[in-house]
Amino acid sequence: MDIEWKRKQITSYLNTKWLGRSLLYMEQLDSTNIQAKKLGEEKAIHGTVVVTECQTAGKGRRGRNWISPEGNCYFSMLLRPDILPEKASMITLVAALAVCKAIEEVAKLDVRIKWPNDVVCNGKKLCGILTESSTDELHLTYIVVGIGVNVNQKEFAPEISHMASSLSLLKGEDIEQAQLLGSIMNWFEMYYEQFLETQDLSVLLKEYNALLINCGKDVKLIEGDAICVAKAIGIDSDGGLIVQDVNGQKQTIISGEVSVRGLYGYAE
Ligand code: BTN
């Protein structure tokens, strides 16, 4: 398919002011995050988006690979927010909210967020988000938010098939990637602007918690070899997960320090 045609197709679904107005589409890339970071160093404008059909070196969290065959959505957004570096991780939660809304809108599936930023349906992961930032002394120079959504993938490797699925497998029909990409960007721009007003998640708390699969449920908290069970209450305005132990004692979990799992599996 012609590259310029594909770029225009994605753009036709956008109603953003600045996000994706500069959009690079490639049939294949190593990783959209790698390319967006290069553009970040080259002073590309805030809101630049890199999209590809497949990745040869897709990156997941914690140094994992993100297997990236054709048929899914892989893209990265380059942002230059004027915020403190420690606030950057909250943008990942903003992105998860946007992905959920877009999937609901385009695929009409009932999706949820597994804290902090996995999007799940029927207990299986549909989307992963990797945010990387660059700082210059005390300031953020840019953030790259990379999003991979399993859209039309029909098969998963045996080691992940119990916890991963795609929109087309759940829906029983293929979903147009360009429409989903456009919708994610539309939702993201709106939520991102709301986030910037307060530089925290206070305005988005209610909507995020309404989609949080763990809300009000017991979860397993895994920290190294230690596992304990607590009830998840919801996120606070900084994106931490508030949990309550059997004695009613509340504690806030910070992303990256503790893994959260459902009692019966990956999500629930
Ligand atoms: C995770 O481990 O859950 C995060 C996966 C993030 C994958 C996306 S695909 C588009 C972007 N480019 C990458 O190399 N990674 C992110």
Side-chain angles (χ1 to χ4, degrees), residues 128-226:
I129 304 172
L130 177 66
T131 298
E132 299 184 88
S133 49
S134 163
T135 49
D136 149 19
E137 286 158 23
L138 292 177
H139 301 101
L140 265 182
T141 44
Y142 62 83
I143 300 179
V144 166
V145 182
I147 302 182
V149 187
N150 302 332
V151 182
N152 294 321
Q153 190 168 343
K154 304 292 183 303
E155 281 175 4
F156 290 87
E159 61 274 20
I160 57 166
S161 60
H162 63 286
M163 55 180 278
S165 191
S166 70
L167 303 184
S168 72
L169 284 177
L170 290 162
K171 197 65 194 156
E173 62 187 60
D174 278 3
I175 300 293
E176 197 187 296
Q177 293 144 271
Q179 189 184 1
L180 184 70
L181 277 168
S183 176
I184 296 173
M185 289 189 236
N186 293 340
W187 283 102
F188 182 82
E189 185 183 276
M190 184 192 78
Y191 286 134
Y192 174 83
E193 289 186 343
Q194 291 179 3
F195 160 78
L196 273 194
E197 278 169 27
T198 52
Q199 303 198 2
D200 68 17
L201 299 168
S202 49
V203 182
L204 304 176
L205 253 185
K206 228 174 137 185
E207 270 187 272
Y208 183 98
N209 280 336
L211 287 168
L212 189 63
I213 194 155
N214 320 101
C215 224
K217 290 185 190 153
D218 282 342
V219 290
K220 265 191 221 164
L221 305 175
I222 308 164
E223 193 174 6
D225 289 338

Side-chain angles (χ1 to χ4, degrees), residues 79 81 83 87-95 143 145 188 192 195:
L79 306 169
I83 58 171
K87 307 250 175 194
S89 61
M90 283 188 259
I91 296 178
T92 317
L93 280 75
V94 175
I143 300 179
V145 182
F188 182 82
Y192 174 83
F195 160 78

